[in-house]
Amino acid sequence: MKLGGGWVWRLLFLSSLAVAAVVSSDEPSEADVLDRDGDIACLDFKPLVLNHDIIIQVTYKTPVATGDVYFAETFDDGSLDRWQPSKTTKEDADDEIAKYDGKWMVEPLKENKVPGDQGLVLKSRAKHHAIAAMLDKPFVFQDEPLVVQYEVNFQDGIDCGGAYIKLLSDSGSLSLEQFHDRTPYTIMFGPDKCGEDYKLHFIFRHKNPLNKDMEEKHAKRADVDLKKFYTDKKTHLYTLVLNPDNSYEMFIDQSSVSRGNLLYDMVPPVNPPKEIDDPNDSKPDDWDERAKIPDPEAVKPDDWDEDAPAKIEDPDALKPEGWLDDEPEFVSDPNAEKPEDWDEEMDGEWEAPQVPNPSCETAPGCGEWKRPMINNPQYKGKWKAPLIDNPHYQGVWKPRKMMNPEYFEDLQPFRMTSFKALGLELWSMTSDIYFDNFIITSHKEVADRWASDSWGLKKLVASANEPGIFSQLMMAAEERPWLWIIYVLTVGLPVGLAVLFCWPKVRQESDGQGDNQVGADNEEEEMEEEEEEESEENKTPERTLEDEVRVSCSVCGKSFRKQGHFLHNNRNTLEDANK
C-alpha cells in the first residue's frame, strides 16, 4: 500500500507541539516578572550562576512599598522586633501541646536563594504556633478596596497544616501576647491542607445586626486544582482583593483562581431567607401523598401460580461422562499427623483436615451429580394489582411559610469590622514553612509593584534553576501518565514508519539477487541486438528505383506510400522517365 508522507509529518508535528506545551505550561515567562513599564524593578543582572550553562549574578534590593499602604514586611533586616510571639495556651487542647511554643526564625530559602532576601519560617513540627504584628494604621472598611498579599513556600512539602493569615479585629482588648485560636478576627485568608484536601480559605466574620452575633462566612472553593502549589516546593504568591461593591477575587501567582460576591457566594449566606417553614404546622392525618395506588378493580388471573418456584432443575441436562459418583469431593489428608500436644479430653477426637480428592482432578466431577438449576419459565411471583393514578392525590405535603423573625438584609457586607493587626496562628505536622513580603493596601497596582520587586525575582531564579528538558518530560509524565502515549508516538512512530516503508524495498532487493546473472545475460543480449540495429541503420542501402522516386519526389512521398501499387505496376514507365 502506498501512503503519502504528509500525514506522518503532521502527526509528528502535532505530537511535538503537545509535548512542548506540557513542558512549557509550568514555565513562567519573562513577562510574569515585569512591571508595567516592562522593567524588572530593583534587579541588576550580571554574568554568573544558573542552570549549569547560563550564569547570572543577581543583585537584590529590598522592595519599598509605595502608595497607600497599611502594612508591609520583608524580614530582610533579619529582625522580628515588630512581631510578637504568643505566650498563651490553646483552649480545649491536651496540656502537652496546648502551649503556643512553636519556634519562628528569620532565614533565607533553602533552595533558589536570592542573596539578601529573607523570610519568616515556621520551624517546629506538631506544635502550635502564633505570632502577630500591628498594622501601621487600622484598616476601616469604607469606600476603598482591601488588597492583602503575601508569599508562602512549603519547603518540605506539607502533610497536614495551614499557612493562612488572620486579620485581627480592632478591639480595645486585643493583646498580641494573648493571641490564640479564639482571638476575634475579621478575615482569614490563605492555603490549608490536610490529607488530600487542598483548600484556599477566604473566611470573613459577619455581625448579625439583630443579635450582634458574629458568624463565619466561607467563600466557595477555588476553581482550579491547588495540589501543585503545595507540592512543588516553590514560592507562591497569594492575593485577596475585596471591593466596596461586595465583589471579591483570589489570585495565586497573579492568576485568578476564584471570584464571587459576598452577597451570593458565601456559605452560609450573609442574609437569611425572608420566609421559613412554620415550625408549628403539621401534616393532616388524612393527607394523601400517594401519587399511584393499586387498581382496586384488578383481579388476579386464574392461571397465575404464586407457588411456582423461581428456579427449577434443567430437564435437558445430562451427567458428564466420567463423573465419579462414588468418590467424595474432599478426603482426609493422608499426610496429616495429630499434633503431639493434642489433648482428646480437652480438644476432642482428632480428625485429619480435609483436602481435595486427588481422584477428582482428572474427572469432570465427584459425588452425587445434580442437575443444574435454570429459571422457571412458569414463574410469575406474587401477584400484585397494577398501579393507577390516585384520584385523591394531594401532592407532597409541605409546611406553610411564615415570616422569618430573624430576617435582616445587609446589602453592604463589605463594611465589616475594622482590623489593626496581622497574625499567623497555625498547627502543622511539617516544619520550614516560609512566609515573606506581606503587604496590605487599598490598591492592586501597589501590590503588583511590590510583587514585581520581590516575588518576581524569586520566580525568575527558580525558573532559571529548573531541570533540563528530559527531566521536565519525566516529571510531567509522573503527574500526567497519559503523556507516555505521546512520548511513544513521538519516538516510536518514526521508527515504525521507517521499518514499514523500507523493509519491503530491502526484501525486494534481496529476492532479486538470485536473478542477477540471468538479468545480466539478458541485458547483454539486448545490448548486442541494439548494436546490430544501429549498425544496420548506419549502413547505406542500395537505392532502388522506387527509393529514387521517393527521394526525388519527397514532397509527394505520402501520396506514393498510400498508393504503393502505383509504383509496382508502373515500374517500367518510371524507369523510362528516369532515363
Side-chain angles (χ1 to χ4, degrees), residues 186-455:
T186 300
I187 289 175
M188 189 174 93
F189 168 66
D192 189 19
K193 184 253 183 183
C194 201
E196 289 301 311
D197 189 12
Y198 301 88
K199 296 179 181 179
L200 178 60
H201 288 298
F202 166 41
I203 304 171
F204 80 95
R205 298 173 76 238
H206 178 260
K207 180 184 285 188
N208 186 317
L210 299 181
N211 55 26
K212 309 305 180 183
D213 290 343
M214 301 299 292
E215 298 178 349
E216 289 186 351
K217 309 296 181 181
H218 296 248
K220 64 182 181 179
R221 296 183 71 94
D223 301 327
V224 300
D225 183 8
L226 301 176
K227 183 176 180 179
K228 68 176 182 178
F229 302 113
Y230 296 79
T231 58
D232 61 5
K233 299 182 181 181
K234 294 181 180 179
T235 302
H236 294 290
L237 184 72
Y238 294 87
T239 310
L240 169 66
V241 179
L242 192 55
N243 297 305
D245 63 357
N246 300 318
S247 63
Y248 69 85
E249 190 165 10
M250 290 182 278
F251 300 82
I252 300 180
D253 297 344
Q254 298 184 324
S255 295
S256 178
V257 296
S258 180
R259 65 177 63 185
N261 191 287
L262 300 179
L263 287 172
Y264 313 117
D265 300 301
M266 308 303 290
V267 180
V270 169
N271 296 313
K274 287 184 178 181
E275 294 183 332
I276 60 172
D277 294 338
D278 185 352
N280 299 318
D281 193 14
S282 59
K283 184 174 69 173
D285 295 336
D286 59 348
W287 188 276
D288 195 344
E289 291 184 325
R290 300 172 302 163
K292 298 282 186 178
I293 60 172
D295 185 355
E297 299 180 356
V299 179
K300 182 175 72 172
D302 295 335
D303 60 349
W304 191 285
D305 185 1
E306 293 184 341
D307 299 326
K311 297 281 186 177
I312 61 172
E313 293 183 350
D314 185 358
D316 299 326
L318 299 175
K319 182 170 65 175
E321 294 183 5
W323 188 280
L324 305 178
D325 297 87
D326 300 330
E327 289 286 346
E329 189 174 355
F330 292 92
V331 296
S332 299
D333 186 356
N335 299 321
E337 296 181 359
K338 182 172 69 172
E340 294 179 359
D341 59 350
W342 187 273
D343 188 345
E344 293 191 355
E345 292 183 2
M346 296 292 294
D347 303 324
E349 183 181 357
W350 180 81
E351 295 180 358
Q354 298 288 298
V355 295
N357 189 344
S359 302
C360 301
E361 293 181 357
T362 57
C366 290
E368 181 184 0
W369 179 79
K370 294 181 180 180
R371 295 177 183 274
M373 304 298 288
I374 61 173
N375 293 327
N376 184 0
Q378 304 301 323
Y379 173 74
K380 297 182 179 180
K382 186 175 178 59
W383 181 84
K384 295 180 181 179
L387 297 177
I388 62 172
D389 292 335
N390 183 1
H392 304 294
Y393 175 63
Q394 295 174 274
V396 178
W397 182 84
K398 295 179 181 179
R400 62 174 173 265
K401 296 291 185 180
M402 58 173 289
M403 292 301 297
N404 185 359
E406 299 179 354
Y407 172 73
F408 63 84
E409 186 177 38
D410 181 1
L411 297 180
Q412 293 182 318
F414 170 79
R415 297 196 173 184
M416 52 191 76
T417 306
S418 60
F419 61 90
K420 66 177 182 180
L422 181 151
L424 295 96
E425 188 268 319
L426 305 168
W427 163 273
S428 177
M429 294 301 296
T430 307
S431 60
D432 289 327
I433 302 176
Y434 177 94
F435 301 86
D436 201 4
N437 295 314
F438 293 93
I439 187 169
I440 299 175
T441 179
S442 293
H443 304 285
K444 182 69 163 51
E445 297 80 5
V446 173
D448 289 342
R449 284 196 297 269
W450 176 267
S452 68
D453 294 350
S454 52
W455 171 79

Side-chain angles (χ1 to χ4, degrees), residues 82-91 97-102 104 120 122 128-135 163-171 173-189 205 419-427 435 438:
R82 73 183 296 183
W83 292 82
Q84 175 62 58
S86 177
K87 298 180 180 180
T88 188
T89 57
K90 183 180 177 68
E91 298 182 15
I97 60 172
K99 191 174 182 180
Y100 285 96
D101 57 354
W104 299 92
L120 178 66
L122 180 151
H128 291 289
H129 301 71
I131 194 170
M134 300 296 291
L135 272 60
Y164 45 80
I165 63 173
K166 291 182 177 180
L167 304 180
L168 306 181
S169 301
D170 185 4
S171 64
S173 61
L174 177 62
S175 170
L176 300 188
E177 288 187 354
Q178 300 300 312
F179 175 37
H180 56 85
D181 60 319
R182 297 189 180 182
T183 299
Y185 69 88
T186 300
I187 289 175
M188 189 174 93
F189 168 66
R205 298 173 76 238
F419 61 90
K420 66 177 182 180
L422 181 151
L424 295 96
E425 188 268 319
L426 305 168
W427 163 273
F435 301 86
F438 293 93

Side-chain angles (χ1 to χ4, degrees), residues 120-149:
L120 178 66
V121 181
L122 180 151
K123 298 297 295 182
S124 307
R125 292 182 65 256
K127 287 184 177 293
H128 291 289
H129 301 71
I131 194 170
M134 300 296 291
L135 272 60
D136 298 334
K137 56 183 176 180
F139 185 92
V140 180
F141 293 88
Q142 291 293 336
D143 301 323
E144 293 290 332
L146 169 66
V147 181
V148 182
Q149 183 172 277

